[in-house]
Amino acid sequence: KNLAETIDNKALHDTFAAFGPILSCKVVCDDKGQSLGYGYVHFEKEESATEAADKVDQMLLNGKQVFVGKFERKDTKLKELEKNFTNCYVKHFDKDLTDEKVTEYFEK
């Protein structure tokens, strides 16, 4: 995640090939072919994926700090979040609202 726009499929593959055989590798793009800033690398072995995540996570690739982690299906992530619900998304604040007032309100 947070891939530079200049990272293409080959560059992503070349970056991760050092960790083991890759079954598939793809940078996700929009309908115009522009990178959406993330991609997937499917290794042959779990150990390769773990090592890649440990070594490449938070590295700078083409000037951008990247996040590399274990892939989790969206529905699995959502189920796990539902078990330990601790975050709220709040929108449509007045422009005058301060951090202190938000904190004060939600501490009640």
Side-chain angles (χ1 to χ4, degrees), residues 2-21:
N2 200 35
L3 294 174
E5 292 177 7
T6 55
I7 301 279
D8 59 10
N9 292 331
K10 182 178 180 342
L12 189 65
H13 187 281
D14 291 349
T15 300
F16 287 93
F19 300 102

Side-chain angles (χ1 to χ4, degrees), residues 40 67 69-78 80:
Y40 300 99
F67 166 80
K70 182 179 179 183
F71 172 77
E72 293 181 79
R73 297 186 79 71
K74 191 174 191 175
D75 57 341
T76 305
K77 266 196 281 190
L78 291 175
E80 190 60 35

Side-chain angles (χ1 to χ4, degrees), residues 90 93 97-108:
V90 184
F93 284 119
L97 195 61
T98 64
D99 288 343
E100 292 78 22
K101 292 220 181 236
V102 171
T103 301
E104 179 184 326
Y105 179 82
F106 282 101
E107 284 180 339
K108 293 180 184 178

Side-chain angles (χ1 to χ4, degrees), residues 10-102:
K10 182 178 180 342
L12 189 65
H13 187 281
D14 291 349
T15 300
F16 287 93
F19 300 102
I22 294 173
L23 299 176
S24 65
C25 180
K26 179 180 181 178
V27 173
V28 179
C29 296
D30 64 16
D31 57 355
K32 295 178 183 170
Q34 295 294 324
S35 170
L36 293 178
Y38 67 97
Y40 300 99
V41 179
H42 182 188
F43 286 96
E44 185 176 293
K45 297 181 181 177
E46 183 177 353
E47 298 82 27
S48 299
T50 301
E51 183 182 6
D54 290 345
K55 299 231 170 120
V56 181
D57 186 39
Q58 304 303 313
M59 269 182 59
L60 286 178
L61 293 180
N62 287 20
K64 291 187 85 173
Q65 187 174 26
V66 297
F67 166 80
V68 180
K70 182 179 179 183
F71 172 77
E72 293 181 79
R73 297 186 79 71
K74 191 174 191 175
D75 57 341
T76 305
K77 266 196 281 190
L78 291 175
K79 285 179 186 173
E80 190 60 35
L81 286 173
E82 288 172 358
K83 290 180 190 175
N84 301 310
F85 178 73
T86 59
N87 296 322
C88 294
Y89 176 72
V90 184
K91 60 183 181 177
H92 300 300
F93 284 119
D94 286 334
K95 292 179 182 178
D96 303 344
L97 195 61
T98 64
D99 288 343
E100 292 78 22
K101 292 220 181 236
V102 171

